[in-house]
Amino acid sequence: MYFLFFVISFSASVIGAVCGIGGGVIIKPVLDAAGLMEVGAVSFLSGCTVLSMSFVSVVRSLGTRDKVIEWRCGTALAAGAAIGGAGGKEVFQYAYSHFADSSQVGAVQSGVLLLVTALTFIYTLNKHRVRTYHIRSLFLCAVTGLALGLMSAFLGIGGGPINLMVLSFCFSMTTKQAAANSLYIILFSQFTSLIHTLATNTVPEFPVSILGFMIMGGVLGALAGGRINERILDRHVNKLFMVLMAVIMGINIYNIHMFL
């Protein structure tokens, strides 16, 4: 079982580092489908893995020649995401404590993730026809980041496909720019989400050794994915992203059926 958790976290982090989606959007539904742990533990483990993966990815990007992170706008987005991350965790804990069965929370998470993924899939197919914007207001950047952080922390996915859609539509970023800035946002939202969980003493029960294997998978996956990202073109990233969205939608449909 430990090897399985490592393989899932490593594979998801490789793809997440290439596409800029954090990896949690893969880890969360896959572990839910496997039924190896309850919903709260899966969300926490997924968030910790994404945090380690995004930290390594952002640090790597600082040493590259391609300055793809837009520091002014990206930092405002990240600051908003940090607040949203704590808020999203609060929403999750409220839902988790008020639903009679944790499977109901899992069904809600899977349903929201399915909707978000479907919208992103449709947008990506048609984005060459969509007029994009170039928001520069720091206030609007922070509000956008807050919304992204809130959703990602509630779903336990880090950032996911919605980050790329919003960064493309609102800020006219290219695929690789959106990927780098998405991971920057994810780093802050997941960090505050973790701090909130620790501060409120709501860490779920799970074998600590599994967390170690998953973090190791996240770190190694970020390093491998970063190297791949440097060598492939935007159109190849787009193709990988589209295939991934289709797979994630299928897994979430299965999860909704399983939870209900």
Side-chain angles (χ1 to χ4, degrees), residues 37 46 49 62 69 117 121 155 182 221:
M37 288 185 176
S46 174
T49 306
L62 296 176
I69 295 179
T117 306
F121 186 85
L155 295 176
S182 172

Side-chain angles (χ1 to χ4, degrees), residues 144-215:
T144 303
L146 188 147
L148 293 175
L150 184 71
M151 180 170 291
S152 66
F154 171 70
L155 295 176
I157 61 172
I162 192 173
N163 280 17
L164 299 187
M165 179 177 69
V166 170
L167 292 174
S168 170
F169 179 72
C170 296
F171 304 96
S172 298
M173 292 186 185
T174 65
T175 301
K176 286 195 175 184
Q177 280 180 319
N181 284 275
S182 172
L183 292 172
Y184 186 48
I185 295 168
I186 288 168
L187 173 63
F188 282 82
S189 67
Q190 287 305 301
F191 178 73
T192 55
S193 176
L194 174 62
I195 294 300
H196 179 274
T197 302
L198 296 175
T200 55
N201 196 29
T202 52
V203 178
E205 293 185 6
F206 59 86
V208 177
S209 52
I210 287 182
L211 176 61
F213 274 89
M214 291 188 71
I215 289 177

Side-chain angles (χ1 to χ4, degrees), residues 28 32 39 102-104 106-107 110 254-260:
K28 179 68 169 63
D32 280 341
V39 172
S102 63
S103 294
Q104 294 176 315
S110 297
Y254 169 79
N255 284 343
I256 293 171
H257 174 73
M258 178 186 69
F259 283 129
L260 294 178

Side-chain angles (χ1 to χ4, degrees), residues 43 88-89 91-92 95 105 108-109 112 149-156:
S43 292
K89 206 64 180 179
V91 173
F92 173 80
V105 182
V108 171
Q109 287 180 311
V112 174
L150 184 71
M151 180 170 291
S152 66
F154 171 70
L155 295 176

Side-chain angles (χ1 to χ4, degrees), residues 15-36:
I15 298 172
V18 173
C19 295
I21 57 174
V25 72
I26 304 170
I27 297 171
K28 179 68 169 63
V30 169
L31 289 183
D32 280 341
L36 298 174

Side-chain angles (χ1 to χ4, degrees), residues 4-29:
L4 176 63
F5 275 91
F6 173 79
V7 170
I8 292 172
S9 60
F10 175 78
S11 303
S13 297
V14 169
I15 298 172
V18 173
C19 295
I21 57 174
V25 72
I26 304 170
I27 297 171
K28 179 68 169 63

